Amino acid sequence: MFLYHYYDASMKPFQNLSDVSIEEARKILKDIASKKPDTQCAKRTTGYMELRHHYEDILRCEFMKKGGNIQRQSPHYMVIEHSPWLASWFENSAFIKIDINEFDKSTISFTYGDSHPTFSPKVNDGKEYRKKLYTYDEILEIIAKYGYPQDWNNDGKYGPERYIEAHIWSDNVIKRYV
């Protein structure tokens, strides 16, 4: 199993908006919107960073409940296996592919789909993986049951889940790829 991180090749990978102040993140997003208006990142709403911090608080709290090994305040984001949709987000799309066995799996949590709609009060379709965060062993069970969303829902026709999001709560492996 591989984890993928998508980014714009004109920038360094793993540049985490949550590692800077909300004001600085807004400046970065505004700069992206002015320079690359057709990219997915340019379409983020004004309150995106507040929402992101809210959902990261949920992820952190849920992972702590499961005994997760949290070594940083906010996670780095990756996905399980290739996501054609995420690859289309950037003008100069690039990715880093890392074997999951390089990581201490106790530092990774997962959501079946993006964490924002997974925990959003607006998404109430009754699917069992809504409002849930998974450990590595738990996500393997969900994958066995439902497969990879990018295989059956890459276009988003069947709901908001298009990939399995991985939350990396440590810099140990990431720092080798920056």
Side-chain angles (χ1 to χ4, degrees):
M1 177 183 295
F2 290 93
L3 299 183
Y4 284 72
H5 172 73
Y6 296 90
Y7 64 101
D8 190 301
S10 66
M11 303 172 73
K12 291 181 0 183
F14 295 107
Q15 299 302 297
N16 195 326
L17 286 171
S18 295
D19 286 344
V20 298
S21 70
I22 287 179
E23 296 77 27
E24 182 64 24
R26 283 188 184 138
K27 287 178 188 174
I28 293 167
L29 290 171
K30 187 176 180 180
D31 187 52
I32 291 169
S34 70
K35 291 179 180 174
K36 299 178 182 208
D38 296 327
T39 63
Q40 187 71 23
C41 294
K43 297 175 174 80
R44 298 223 162 106
T45 63
T46 304
Y48 170 76
M49 285 308 300
E50 289 82 1
L51 275 174
R52 180 172 169 146
H53 284 252
H54 169 72
Y55 291 123
E56 287 176 346
D57 288 345
I58 292 171
L59 295 173
R60 189 180 323 96
C61 183
E62 293 299 311
F63 199 39
M64 284 186 344
K65 287 180 190 175
K66 291 180 177 269
N69 182 358
I70 298 174
Q71 299 174 14
R72 51 180 285 120
Q73 181 67 20
S74 298
H76 291 290
Y77 293 92
M78 299 185 80
V79 297
I80 297 179
E81 300 304 342
H82 173 63
S83 169
W85 184 64
L86 282 178
S88 74
W89 276 30
F90 305 97
E91 280 183 2
N92 302 306
S93 189
F95 64 84
I96 292 177
K97 176 180 169 182
I98 307 172
D99 189 307
I100 197 164
N101 292 313
E102 286 191 44
F103 294 92
D104 172 352
K105 292 181 190 83
S106 74
T107 64
I108 310 173
S109 61
F110 303 89
T111 49
Y112 194 82
D114 188 278
S115 54
H116 290 222
T118 293
F119 286 101
S120 172
K122 296 177 184 177
V123 181
N124 294 303
D125 55 15
K127 293 180 180 176
E128 79 168 282
Y129 43 79
R130 297 284 182 248
K131 318 289 189 265
K132 291 186 182 170
L133 177 128
Y134 299 100
T135 63
Y136 175 70
D137 290 335
E138 292 169 335
I139 200 64
L140 291 178
E141 293 174 21
I142 295 297
I143 293 168
K145 192 170 188 178
Y146 297 104
Y148 295 104
Q150 57 266 47
D151 291 343
W152 58 266
N153 195 37
N154 187 57
D155 61 3
K157 181 179 177 181
Y158 300 109
E161 58 278 20
R162 294 182 182 208
Y163 49 81
I164 299 167
E165 190 174 81
H167 321 110
I168 314 301
W169 295 96
S170 170
D171 291 321
N172 291 340
V173 174
I174 300 301
K175 64 186 175 188
R176 288 187 250 156
Y177 293 89
V178 177

